[in-house]
Structure formats: structure tokens, C-alpha cells
Amino acid sequence: MAVGKEDTEIVKARIDKRNYRRIVLPNSLQVLLISDPDTDKCAASMDVGVGYFSDPAGLEGLAHFLEHMLFYASEKYPVEDSYSKYITEHGGSTNAFTSSEHTNYFFDINTDGFEEALDRFAQFFTKPLMSADATTREIKAVDSENQKNLLSDAWRMNQLHKHISAEDHPYHKFSTGNWDTLEVRPKAKGIDTRNELIKFYEENYSANLMHLVVYTNESLDKIQNLVEEKFQDIRNTNRGCFRASGQPCKSEHLHILVRTVPIKQGHKLRIVWPVTPEIRHYKEGPCRYLGHLIGHEGEGSLYYILKKLGWATGLSAGESDWSLDFSFFKVVIDLTEAGHEHIQDIIGLLFKYIELLQQSGVCKWIFEELSAVCETKFHYQDKIPPSDYVVNIASNMQFYPAKDWLTGSSLPSKFSPSVIQMVLDQLSPNNVRIFWESKNFEGHTDKVEPWYGTAYSIEKITASAIQGWVLSSPDENMHLPAPNKFIPTDLSLKIVQEKVKFPVLLSRSSYSALWYKPDTMFSTPKAYVKINFNCPYSGNSPEAEVLTNIFTQLLMDYLNEYAYYAQVAGLYYSINHIVGGFQVTLLGYNHKLRILLETIVERIAKFKVETDRFSVIKEMVTKEYQNFKYQQPYQQAMYYCSLILQDQTWPWKEELEVLPVLQVEDLAKFVPAMLSRTFIECYIAGNIESHEAESMVRHVEDVLFKCSKPLCQPLFPSQHLTNRVVKLESGTNYFYPSKCLNPDDENSALLHYIQVGRDDFKLNVKLQLFALVAKQATFHQLRSVEQLGYITVLMQRNDCGIRGLQFIIQSTVKAPGNIEQRVEAFLKMFETKLNEMTIDEFKGNVNALIDMKLEKHKNLREESAFFWREISDGTLRFDRRDFEVEALRQLTLQDLIDFFNEYVKVGAPRKKTLSVRVHGNLHSSEYEAEASEPHLAKIDNIFTFRRSQSLYGSFKGLHGQMKL
């Protein structure tokens, strides 16, 4: 059936044991088959070579709308949403996305459900059904998706860049679509959107424009037979590949300075040049080379200078918005208030750095170092979820020859000074576009972008003006980076004496506890280190919380130019403020990890507050708090829910209130006090021996606890931190109404939380099984049928070992109180479905959940996150999966029904619910009318409520800690 098993040698990573085969079907569909006997999830991705660039004029968003519609039904499987239902009930997930020239559809699933899932998936591309009723309903989902994006700066700025380009170029288009473009305007012109949809599908969805990747645990021959059978019927019309003609930016769209008003606080500068697409020279990697240097953060770099001057808090550089025909190189700089006042100097310094690159010439040693880093990264890459893997490869197949389908452009290997020089020459003042974002421009603009309503104005700037900025910019010592000392040279694997499945408590003392887990699964030269500094003083007031936050950000700031080299070399670190202290995480090649850890600990021990950096970080933290109100309404609902449930948490408003008065002296006094009582909880895993792990922790103890003037002392037994959660009263439905913090947001949100109880294997599996069987039904009824909103989800919730369920829905069409009624109506309807469930259906769902639980971790980070959650919650059930699988095997259908009747059923006497209702501006009148009703208890004040409720006991019971 296949035109041929192509003998192309596909380049794969050294440690990759999977088998690959490329085939081409008679209808010209190109396929990559992947056999991985170790996988417990199968996956597939189809990349169709058509995207929103092909939208007909006046039907903006049609390609994206079609992507939505293909999920509904097909001639072979006509029941609406049955594809998604099948995938979900077999432990899988499914999604799709539309880009400029591609639409990608993908799914993953437990192995036993794969064959039928693939058959259902193949129907998207052979005989989909697009009923008139479903078409009208799904336009509302596309509109709701667009509503969600209207106040997002990322979407707004992206569209503004596109808007300021040639109107006859597809880059100029609006990609998402909305009710206006897909319903109102077409109707006014007598155009039937459904007919246009079918026409678009028939004209563009041709097999010769498609690339399929299939990933399973079966042999290549078996997969090949499967694929030939399922995908041979896709029509091939020999449709030509869409190519955008010409460049999106004409001369009038270059040499411009665009001032624009963002939604969020903060100032940003985006400097953009049209360049030759790197895809044409991906082995030479010109944009990668230039992005590496212009985006570098080490000493002597552009960012280092801007940071030293107090003008910038972030900088990135590289190619973006690329296609085969055009591309942009973009430098994005996050500015401070002072930086906003020195914009000409900053642009001058950027061009000065580009001049430095011109004068230095293209450096062979830098290219070779970059190439070596990329090669190590490719050959020792972690396994990722199969669904992500197939999407990446299917996207690559459209652009690269078969041998490079797995590598894409990740392996620059051909040193070509002329190619790099060609792109460097394009980064000139003659064809630059500068976008300057700031709320300070409010009221000073004269234009509005039509799709998102972004205010902006355009000023022409000349190359000679920029040259003047270069000459007048500060005289700073910019230079190329030094050779990278963090590049690992020892990639050998340690010999593990015994195959341990779970972490062991290697050592514990009054200073620390060390959990250790050698790598017995992944065989990569990488390690994971997590250290929690539990400091009771860090969380005892809003001021302490904010000061801890500033402290961690200052630490990262001090380490940046040194540790940036480690990150380039594949050794990542972060220092985060957490409830009750702060956390240091390191992940990457183990060879030089200890060096980085020792440097971090030394910076903690010798911490001093630098006044100029304090001011910059305080300003940055202030903006983060101010921007909290621009979060999506559903995110605000999640925040309020956590604030209500989790004891000892402070509200962002109080933290924002104390920020302005905090000074250098406050932090200088606070840090020694915070560290004076500390307990260190560590998890060390990966390619590291137990004596090395113990030695690392001893080093931390020596520096902080055991020197001549110790910074830290152990905690008193009474000081060990707990994590306690509010126990809602049985038979009570609480609700907390609030206004959306952003008065311009039209979206409202409901979070309907059902509290179930403490971590318990039997109870957990009933909850998980209910979530699995109800998840797709929720989506189908509340989103597909009722179209309440694009964001409609049922998920589990786990607060420090206290389990529950939550419905999260964001909507412009109904107020939160009305959405709540729809959730209750759904639960009443679902009760009937549950009572009608057959034993076979029940067993199928149980088996799907068992398969999900037995799924192996893909990589060290995933495994470590699972074990660390057990440690940080205090539950310490590293063998949780085995026991929950055992509990599932003993579960009966009646057990599930009894669980529903006791905890979930509307009106159940012991049911405990909390509804958080966030009202957007379309539903502000409903907010004013919110009041307690007979069966509903209104929470007026979160903290009064929290104080009046009993708490669940904490699981935190490590050595030296009190179980309260």
C-alpha cells in the first residue's frame, strides 16, 4: 500500500531507543511511524498545510473555526462529541491549534484504546459532519475564545504588529475570528458561513498537504498496516502549497516608532527587523547565533549594561513570526521607570552592540561552543509526553527534509560566516520597526487597531536619528561573552547498586532532612535538587511575605550574570518565595551542578542589600502586584478559592498596600531575622550518588549553621510549619461574590468547589473515577450544547492533601449565579446517566484510570515533581499509585454511585460546596443583588470566615515536627 519504505536515515538522539520509519501513502500523505515498546501512551498528530493566511476575505477566522468543527462528528461516528468522549474515557486528551500556514490536530490515549481512536481521528480528514445547528453553536465558542483574549497584551501586541503591515499581505489578517466575522457580517452579505466552511475544507484539506506522525508501542509493520487502512481514503486534490508572496512590511512600515498603550502596568520596548528566514539556512543557524549574543546576560552583554544602569529588568532576542517566505528578528526589553526615560540611549546601546558584532566579525569559537551545547542538548534530551513529541515532529515535517524531522533546526553544525553576516547586516537602522509600550501614552495616541481596540500612534524615524542616539548613548564597556565554564564534559552515568523505586530519607537532623532517589529509569547525565528553606518568620505578616519575595528576586538578580552561563549550558536554577520560606531548585547536567549550588548558598550567606538593585526589584515587584487585577476572571476565582481555603495566606491587596513604605533598611533587618530560625528540607535525585547528595547537604549546613558566626539556628519543635486547610461544614453551600478586579473585563467566572476530604486511597479513587467519567460530559453539555463559554472544565483539586472537585467556567453570556444553576442542572442530568451506567462501561472507565495511574514518568523532572509533592504536602505516600490501583480493582459501580450520592449529588445532606463568583462588567447588576438565600451562605469577609471555621489536621509530620 505504501509507495515505499523510504530508506532515509533519520537522525536521532544517541540515547533514543525508539524505531522510526517514513512512508508515503498512494494519496501522497507523508507519514512518520514511531515504535516505542516502553510507552504506556499512544499518540498521533496530523499537520495540515493550511492556516489562517488562507482565510477568504471577509471571513476572518474561518480556518480556526474549521479546526473547532472537525471535533464534532463524522459520517462514521455521527454522535456529537463522541470522539472526545472516547479519548477521555480511555485516559487520553485531545486538542488542536491553527497557525498562519498550518493547522495541527493531535491526541494521546492509553494503549488499549489507540486503534479505534486512530480510526475516529482519521474521519476528521475523510468525512466530517458539520451540521447547521452545531455550526451556529460553535461560532459562539470561537467568539468566547476571542473574548478571553481581548484584554491580553500578548494577543493585542501581536495583532498590532500584523496590523502595521501591507493590507494585501496575509500577515495583516486577524486569525481567531469572532461572532462578527463569522456570523453577522457574512449574513449581511448573504453569505452562508457553513457553506463557506465546507468549501474551504474541500479546497484545502488535501492529502498531499498533510503530514502524519503516529506513536505507539506496536511494531513498525503493525503500525504501517493500521495507518494504510485508516488514512488511504483521504482525498488528494494535488492542492498547491500556500506561499505568501512578497514581504509583509513595505517601506512605509519600516523606520517607524510606534507608541502603544498596554493593558498592564510596565514599559516594554520591542525592536523588530524583517530578516531572511533561518529555515533557509538552518544548519548555519544565523538567528540562533545572533540571538545567543544579543540576548546574552553575562558580563559585558547589552543586558548586563542596561541592568547596571538600572534601565531594564529583562531582555530576549531571536527570530519570531517566521515562515518560508519572510521572518522577523525581535529584541524585547522590559524597562524600568528610569529606562522608560532613556529610550534613545537604550536603542543607541542596542545598535552599538550590533556594531560591536560587526567589528568583531563572526567568531568561530562562539559558533562551535553554541553548536556543542546544542548537540549535547539534542543527544541527551529528556523524553517528553508522546502528544507533545508527535506535534513537534509533525510541525517539522512541513519544513525539513526527512533526515532532519527529529532535529529540526536544533543542531546548527555548518560554520558559515557569510550567512551569519548576511543576517547581521539586516539588523540595521534602515529597516527597523520599534514598538514602545507604556500606560504613560494613554490619551496621547491618535489611532486604534480595529480587532482588539489597542490605542497607538506612529512616528517616522530616520537612520541618521538612530545614529545620533548611538553617538550620544553612554560609553560602556560592552564585549563578547567569555568561554562557558559550565559546559559539561563528564556525561558518564553513575552505577546504581540497587534499583530503588522510591525516595529514601538519607539523613535527618535538627538542621535538615534529606530525601534521595538515584536515577533508575532515565539513564541521562542529569540531576534534580530541591531545597526548601522553612523559615517561620517569612510568612508571619504581609510585610514579611513581600520582603521574602523581594529577597528571592534580589538573589536571582545578583546571581544572574554568573548563572546565566549555566543556563546556556543546560543547567537551570530558580529561587522562589513559597508559603513559609523560600525554595532553591536546580535541574540539569549533574557534572557542574555542585559548583552552582555552592555559589547560590554563598550568596545567601553573604547577602547584602544593594540600594540601587533594591529600588529596581521593588519597582518590578510592585508592578507584579498591580497587574494581578488584569488576570483572567477564572484565575481570580481560583485565587479567592485558595485564599478562603488555605490558612496563613495573605491577600495581595494587603501586600500591595505595605509595599510602598518598605525600604532598604527593612530588608537588611528582615533577612537575618528570617534566616535566624531555619529548617532545610532537601530532595536530591538523578545521576548522583548518595555520598554526593549527603556531602551537598553537609556543605549547606556548614555554611549556614556551623560556621563561627552562624546565620541560622534550628527551629524549636513548636515552630515547624504546617499547612492547614479550612474544613467546610457538611450540608452547607457557601458562596463568595466579588467584582472582577479589572472593570473593563466583560468576562465573568464561576468556580464551584465540592470538598470531599482528607487524602485516603479509597476515597481518592472514587473521586478520580467520578472526575474521569464526568469530565467529557461536562464539556459537552456546558460548552458544546449550552455554549456557556470557551473555558469550561471539571477538574480535581488538592490543597495540601485535602481533596475535592471544581467546575471552572468563564462566560460573557451568563452571570455566575446563572452558571451555577446550569452546573446544578447538569449534575441532576448526570445523576441519571450514572445510574444507567452498565457494568461494562464502569469496568472500562476503571481500567482506563488504572492505565493512567500505571503510566511511567517520562523524565527526571516529572518523577521529581511527583515525589516532591508527597514531601511538601507531608503525605509521603511515594507508593501511592500501587495502593490506589489496588483500591480501584476492588471498587464497584455501587461504590461510585454511593460516592456521588454522598458528596456530589445536588442536595446531598453531607455535601460541602464553595462557589466563588467573579462578576465582569456585563453582570455588575447581578453582583449588587447577590445575597444569602435559604440554602446558600454568603461569605462577606474571607478572614472572618476563615477564623470561624475548623481546620483539617496537617499531614506535615516529619522528624522534629509536630503533628497538629
Side-chain angles (χ1 to χ4, degrees):
M1 175 60 70
V3 169
K5 294 181 193 174
E6 301 281 337
D7 291 332
T8 313
E9 183 68 36
I10 294 173
V11 178
K12 67 176 193 175
R14 281 183 208 122
I15 62 170
D16 187 353
K17 296 184 174 68
R18 294 167 287 210
N19 291 313
Y20 299 85
R21 180 186 293 166
R22 174 191 181 234
I23 60 169
V24 183
L25 301 193
N27 58 3
S28 294
L29 174 68
Q30 294 211 47
V31 187
L32 182 67
L33 312 173
I34 306 175
S35 170
D36 178 4
D38 292 334
T39 191
D40 24 38
K41 271 274 196 289
C42 297
S45 168
M46 179 73 92
D47 197 88
V48 185
V50 63
Y52 67 80
F53 275 7
S54 301
D55 283 346
L59 277 165
E60 292 84 359
L62 193 68
H64 175 224
F65 178 39
L66 174 59
E67 170 229 298
H68 277 236
M69 286 308 302
L70 292 190
F71 282 81
Y72 265 79
S74 62
E75 284 185 18
K76 187 170 179 181
Y77 300 102
V79 177
E80 195 175 284
D81 270 349
S82 61
Y83 162 76
S84 301
K85 181 175 187 284
Y86 182 84
I87 299 271
T88 303
E89 288 178 351
H90 289 81
S93 60
T94 178
N95 213 330
F97 60 85
T98 305
S99 63
S100 55
E101 296 172 292
H102 301 268
T103 308
N104 192 296
Y105 302 85
F106 57 94
F107 72 89
D108 69 356
I109 195 161
N110 293 343
T111 51
D112 62 348
F114 182 65
E115 193 167 329
E116 184 175 328
L118 196 66
D119 190 52
R120 289 170 175 275
F121 184 62
Q123 307 310 310
F124 281 40
F125 313 104
T126 49
K127 291 184 173 170
L129 287 180
M130 298 183 239
S131 73
D133 171 50
T135 305
T136 308
R137 275 185 283 125
E138 197 57 22
I139 292 174
K140 292 176 181 170
V142 171
D143 187 64
S144 173
E145 184 176 353
N146 183 59
Q147 289 277 355
K148 164 184 80 70
N149 302 335
L150 287 178
L151 297 176
S152 156
D153 281 327
W155 283 91
R156 293 166 73 87
M157 294 308 156
N158 182 39
Q159 191 63 45
L160 182 61
H161 285 234
K162 288 155 63 166
H163 180 66
I164 304 173
S165 69
E167 285 186 32
D168 59 353
H169 195 281
Y171 180 71
H172 187 81
K173 290 183 176 183
F174 166 56
S175 61
T176 315
N178 58 27
W179 185 252
D180 205 32
T181 67
L182 294 169
E183 176 71 12
V184 179
R185 292 184 197 179
K187 235 179 200 159
K189 293 180 191 162
I191 293 169
D192 183 321
T193 301
R194 181 170 170 266
N195 288 346
E196 292 296 321
L197 195 67
I198 293 164
K199 186 175 151 197
F200 185 87
Y201 176 84
E202 287 174 350
E203 283 179 4
N204 293 290
Y205 274 53
S206 172
N208 69 306
L209 294 182
M210 297 182 186
H211 291 80
L212 174 69
V213 183
V214 176
Y215 188 114
T216 91
N217 58 340
E218 299 286 1
S219 70
L220 289 173
D221 290 340
K222 183 160 183 194
I223 315 172
Q224 182 166 332
N225 292 335
L226 204 58
V227 166
E228 287 170 354
E229 176 202 334
K230 311 271 184 218
F231 292 88
Q232 62 181 346
D233 295 334
I234 300 177
R235 289 176 315 118
N236 178 16
T237 61
N238 282 313
R239 175 83 176 166
C241 203
F242 177 86
R243 296 295 295 265
S245 56
Q247 291 298 312
C249 295
K250 304 281 189 274
S251 59
E252 66 265 31
H253 308 120
L254 303 171
H255 322 112
I256 54 170
L257 172 62
V258 180
R259 289 176 175 82
T260 176
V261 182
I263 297 293
K264 289 185 172 182
Q265 295 290 341
H267 317 289
K268 246 190 182 57
L269 198 56
R270 299 177 201 261
I271 301 102
V272 188
W273 297 266
V275 293
T276 305
E278 183 169 88
I279 185 72
R280 296 183 195 167
H281 304 282
Y282 66 92
K283 290 288 186 200
E284 293 85 355
C287 291
R288 185 183 282 268
Y289 175 91
L290 295 168
H292 168 66
L293 292 175
I294 296 169
H296 209 281
E297 299 182 17
E299 202 175 314
S301 65
L302 171 63
Y303 177 64
Y304 174 80
I305 300 299
L306 294 177
K307 189 180 144 200
K308 196 176 88 171
L309 292 164
W311 292 350
T313 56
L315 185 149
S316 63
E319 187 181 32
S320 75
D321 281 349
W322 63 271
S323 77
L324 287 168
D325 302 289
F326 66 88
S327 182
F328 295 98
F329 189 92
K330 200 177 277 186
V331 177
V332 182
I333 305 172
D334 297 317
L335 304 169
T336 60
E337 293 295 328
H340 181 70
E341 301 302 320
H342 286 91
I343 213 77
Q344 295 180 358
D345 287 331
I346 291 170
I347 294 165
L349 284 167
L350 168 60
F351 279 101
K352 214 180 239 182
Y353 193 83
I354 291 168
E355 275 179 20
L356 166 72
L357 297 183
Q358 289 280 12
Q359 288 154 12
S360 309
V362 179
C363 293
K364 190 172 188 188
W365 77 264
I366 292 178
F367 180 85
E368 285 176 348
E369 185 183 87
L370 188 60
S371 176
V373 166
C374 290
E375 194 172 339
T376 305
K377 185 178 181 182
F378 176 74
H379 284 296
Y380 294 97
Q381 63 185 287
D382 291 336
K383 259 193 173 181
I384 58 174
S387 58
D388 295 339
Y389 195 58
V390 293
V391 167
N392 293 346
I393 298 170
S395 305
N396 280 350
M397 286 166 75
Q398 298 276 11
F399 294 107
Y400 299 96
K403 72 179 175 62
D404 293 329
W405 280 352
L406 306 186
T407 63
S409 60
S410 68
L411 283 181
S413 54
K414 203 183 285 181
F415 180 59
S416 172
S418 59
V419 169
I420 295 173
Q421 188 63 49
M422 170 188 73
V423 177
L424 178 58
D425 290 342
Q426 291 166 352
L427 307 185
S428 84
N430 292 319
N431 64 341
V432 72
R433 290 153 61 86
I434 300 170
F435 292 78
W436 184 8
E437 301 165 26
S438 172
K439 275 206 176 296
N440 293 8
F441 300 137
E442 231 156 359
H444 302 288
T445 57
D446 57 0
K447 293 180 174 60
V448 174
E449 187 280 315
W451 298 111
Y452 291 83
T454 308
Y456 71 101
S457 60
I458 299 182
E459 178 192 333
K460 279 302 236 184
I461 46 166
T462 61
S464 59
I466 291 175
Q467 211 43 55
W469 300 347
V470 172
L471 294 171
S472 64
S473 66
D475 188 17
E476 294 288 342
N477 179 26
M478 289 198 276
H479 56 80
L480 297 179
N484 192 338
K485 292 185 193 140
F486 276 104
I487 293 175
T489 52
D490 178 2
L491 297 163
S492 62
L493 298 181
K494 309 285 165 82
I495 294 157
V496 180
Q497 301 303 333
E498 48 182 315
K499 296 276 183 205
V500 264
K501 271 181 80 176
F502 305 120
V504 291
L505 187 58
L506 209 52
S507 68
R508 58 183 175 190
S509 66
S510 57
Y511 310 113
S512 69
L514 164 60
W515 294 93
Y516 167 70
K517 165 74 175 63
D519 175 17
T520 54
M521 290 277 293
F522 312 112
S523 302
T524 58
K526 296 177 182 177
Y528 181 99
V529 175
K530 176 86 81 178
I531 304 178
N532 260 16
F533 289 78
N534 294 319
C535 311
Y537 299 140
S538 73
N540 61 11
S541 68
E543 287 90 345
E545 193 91 354
V546 175
L547 287 167
T548 308
N549 189 357
I550 294 173
F551 163 71
T552 59
Q553 301 223 30
L554 264 177
L555 263 182
M556 292 279 285
D557 183 79
Y558 294 168
L559 284 158
N560 192 63
E561 46 270 14
Y562 170 80
Y564 183 76
Y565 282 97
Q567 292 187 261
V568 168
L571 178 54
Y572 304 97
Y573 80 107
S574 65
I575 304 169
N576 298 308
H577 143 246
I578 54 169
V579 174
F582 64 99
Q583 185 178 76
V584 174
T585 310
L586 294 96
L587 171 66
Y589 303 114
N590 55 275
H591 182 203
K592 299 184 178 178
L593 182 145
R594 169 106 187 217
I595 301 167
L596 181 58
L597 176 62
E598 287 183 3
T599 309
I600 293 170
V601 174
E602 188 186 353
R603 287 319 288 253
I604 293 170
K606 295 181 174 170
F607 183 82
K608 294 275 182 292
V609 187
E610 294 171 18
T611 307
D612 56 337
R613 298 315 298 160
F614 174 85
S615 308
V616 168
I617 298 298
K618 179 182 165 183
E619 181 191 307
M620 192 167 89
V621 169
T622 303
K623 281 176 187 160
E624 283 168 12
Y625 279 106
Q626 288 169 337
N627 285 331
F628 182 87
K629 68 179 183 186
Y630 300 113
Q631 284 188 324
Q632 294 271 352
Y634 81 89
Q635 293 170 317
Q636 294 177 31
M638 290 169 82
Y639 160 77
Y640 289 126
C641 187
S642 296
L643 195 62
I644 291 166
L645 292 175
Q646 293 172 11
D647 196 34
Q648 295 297 314
T649 47
W650 307 103
W652 73 279
K653 276 187 177 168
E654 290 179 9
E655 294 179 356
L656 180 58
E657 206 176 299
V658 301
L659 246 168
V661 297
L662 295 176
Q663 300 304 326
V664 171
E665 308 76 63
D666 298 309
L667 187 63
K669 274 187 214 146
F670 171 76
V671 172
M674 173 186 74
L675 291 169
S676 68
R677 293 284 169 188
T678 302
F679 181 75
I680 294 170
E681 199 163 24
C682 312
Y683 175 76
I684 299 181
N687 191 38
I688 236 164
E689 291 174 337
S690 58
H691 69 88
E692 295 176 285
E694 287 178 300
S695 165
M696 279 183 192
V697 174
R698 264 200 312 276
H699 175 79
V700 178
E701 287 184 2
D702 289 346
V703 171
L704 298 177
F705 291 91
K706 297 177 181 174
C707 55
S708 54
K709 289 185 179 170
L711 196 64
C712 308
Q713 291 183 63
L715 300 188
F716 290 113
S718 60
Q719 284 184 299
H720 279 275
L721 295 161
T722 59
N723 39 17
R724 304 197 59 183
V725 174
V726 165
K727 189 175 190 175
L728 299 176
E729 278 183 40
S730 293
T732 310
N733 300 315
Y734 297 98
F735 78 100
Y736 176 71
S738 90
K739 271 188 175 171
C740 183
L741 295 166
N742 178 5
D744 296 331
D745 204 325
E746 295 186 348
N747 293 283
S748 291
L750 169 78
L751 189 155
H752 180 81
Y753 168 65
I754 302 169
Q755 193 171 68
V756 173
R758 273 169 70 88
D759 187 53
D760 170 90
F761 295 145
K762 285 182 180 168
L763 197 54
N764 293 351
V765 297
K766 293 174 196 172
L767 165 65
Q768 291 158 5
L769 189 61
F770 175 77
L772 179 69
V773 295
K775 181 182 174 183
Q776 182 54 32
T778 301
F779 183 90
H780 172 70
Q781 182 60 34
L782 300 180
R783 185 182 135 169
S784 299
V785 176
E786 298 187 28
Q787 285 297 338
L788 294 181
Y790 176 73
I791 294 170
T792 299
V793 68
L794 166 64
M795 62 198 292
Q796 297 168 60
R797 186 181 174 102
N798 178 2
D799 297 272
C800 309
I802 309 306
R803 307 290 183 129
L805 278 167
Q806 53 189 2
F807 289 86
I808 299 172
I809 299 166
Q810 184 164 292
S811 179
T812 52
V813 294
K814 283 200 182 319
N818 298 125
I819 300 172
E820 179 127 44
Q821 289 166 4
R822 300 314 310 147
V823 169
E824 297 206 335
F826 164 75
L827 285 173
K828 285 174 185 167
M829 183 187 79
F830 191 75
E831 183 181 349
T832 312
K833 273 193 180 175
L834 195 59
N835 287 317
E836 290 168 357
M837 184 182 277
T838 66
I839 296 292
D840 283 350
E841 283 176 314
F842 171 76
K843 282 183 177 164
N845 284 308
V846 166
N847 290 335
L849 187 53
I850 287 173
D851 287 346
M852 290 164 79
K853 289 198 168 298
L854 294 177
E855 195 180 323
K856 295 184 285 289
H857 296 299
K858 305 287 176 294
N859 52 54
L860 180 63
R861 189 182 67 244
E862 205 180 279
E863 179 191 77
S864 298
F866 177 84
F867 289 138
W868 179 255
R869 179 75 194 257
E870 295 293 331
I871 294 165
S872 65
D873 281 354
T875 40
L876 300 180
R877 293 314 302 254
F878 303 126
D879 52 2
R880 167 180 307 283
R881 290 170 164 197
D882 302 340
F883 281 91
E884 289 187 345
V885 164
E886 196 46 49
L888 270 171
R889 290 197 167 119
Q890 293 168 15
L891 204 64
T892 65
L893 175 55
Q894 193 55 50
D895 289 336
L896 182 63
I897 292 168
D898 291 347
F899 168 83
F900 177 84
N901 289 339
E902 182 174 350
Y903 292 100
V904 183
K905 181 178 174 172
V906 177
R910 291 184 56 197
K911 185 175 178 180
K912 304 187 285 186
T913 66
L914 163 66
S915 288
V916 180
R917 304 174 179 181
V918 176
H919 297 73
N921 67 19
L922 295 180
H923 304 118
S924 48
S925 56
E926 284 90 339
Y927 170 74
E928 305 300 340
E930 291 273 30
S932 287
E933 297 163 34
H935 67 295
L936 276 175
K938 183 181 176 187
I939 297 172
D940 288 308
N941 180 297
I942 289 177
F943 307 102
T944 308
F945 171 77
R946 215 163 66 177
R947 281 191 291 271
S948 68
Q949 298 301 301
S950 55
L951 301 174
Y952 280 103
S954 170
F955 283 97
K956 276 289 195 186
L958 264 178
H959 170 80
Q961 291 178 233
M962 309 277 283
K963 262 198 167 172
L964 300 182

